[in-house]
Amino acid sequence: MGRLRRKRMHKNIRDTQRKFRTKRRTKDMDQIHDDLKEAEKLTSQPKDYDLPGAGQFYCVECARYFTDVTSKEVHVKSKLHKRRLKELKDVPYTTEEADRASGLGSYHIRHTQGKHAESVHNPGGSAGADGDME
């Protein structure tokens, strides 16, 4: 017998499971850039007992709440926080830049006029049977 079928079975592959997991979904970079503009408001929030640490210990760059000051300080020294700071140094793309990159903004219809317009659309130069150009 041959080898058992193993391909195309993504049931137990951890990478695909993690990719589609939304339990620990964080904010995107452009949302965090918007939050950095009002960082003072986010760091001094009123007490909300539904959040960890009553909402008093918040990391704006990572969009994450902590239970106490020591856990926040440990987080600030961690690799994850430093990576996030490095990613936030880049300016987020605008919608116009994304459209240009995908090719939506680069296509322009050229409007030609006069005798040259007929030769561009109809190389033969003559109109069809109805008198319309094709």
Side-chain angles (χ1 to χ4, degrees):
M1 297 199 76
R3 184 176 155 208
L4 295 176
R5 180 179 166 189
R6 290 281 193 167
K7 295 184 178 183
R8 295 187 213 115
M9 303 297 261
H10 298 285
K11 185 172 56 174
N12 292 326
I13 298 176
R14 292 179 68 198
D15 292 340
T16 56
Q17 291 172 354
R18 288 180 180 170
K19 183 169 45 172
F20 297 114
R21 186 181 297 165
T22 58
K23 183 177 180 181
R24 292 184 190 94
R25 178 118 172 98
T26 59
K27 289 185 177 180
D28 291 327
M29 290 297 155
D30 55 345
Q31 293 172 331
I32 293 175
H33 270 282
D34 294 339
D35 286 348
L36 286 173
K37 294 174 186 171
E38 51 190 37
E40 186 64 34
K41 179 182 168 188
L42 291 171
T43 53
S44 60
Q45 296 180 8
K47 288 190 177 185
D48 184 6
Y49 292 104
D50 292 332
L51 297 173
Q56 299 301 304
F57 311 105
Y58 183 71
C59 178
V60 179
E61 292 86 3
C62 300
R64 192 171 167 194
Y65 291 97
F66 296 95
T67 56
D68 55 355
V69 178
T70 56
S71 61
K72 184 180 176 186
E73 289 174 354
V74 168
H75 164 74
V76 169
K77 294 176 185 177
S78 70
K79 261 188 190 179
L80 293 174
H81 182 78
K82 291 175 183 177
R83 275 190 212 142
R84 181 60 63 102
L85 289 177
K86 197 172 186 180
E87 290 173 359
L88 286 172
K89 286 181 182 178
D90 295 336
V91 179
Y93 290 110
T94 60
T95 309
E96 293 82 22
E97 287 175 324
D99 288 343
R100 275 189 265 132
S102 66
L104 293 178
S106 63
Y107 180 71
H108 299 288
I109 298 174
R110 295 185 181 191
H111 297 286
T112 55
Q113 297 176 356
K115 191 174 184 179
H116 182 67
E118 293 175 8
S119 64
V120 169
H121 294 295
N122 191 4
S126 62
D130 296 67
D132 297 328
M133 291 179 51
E134 294 180 2

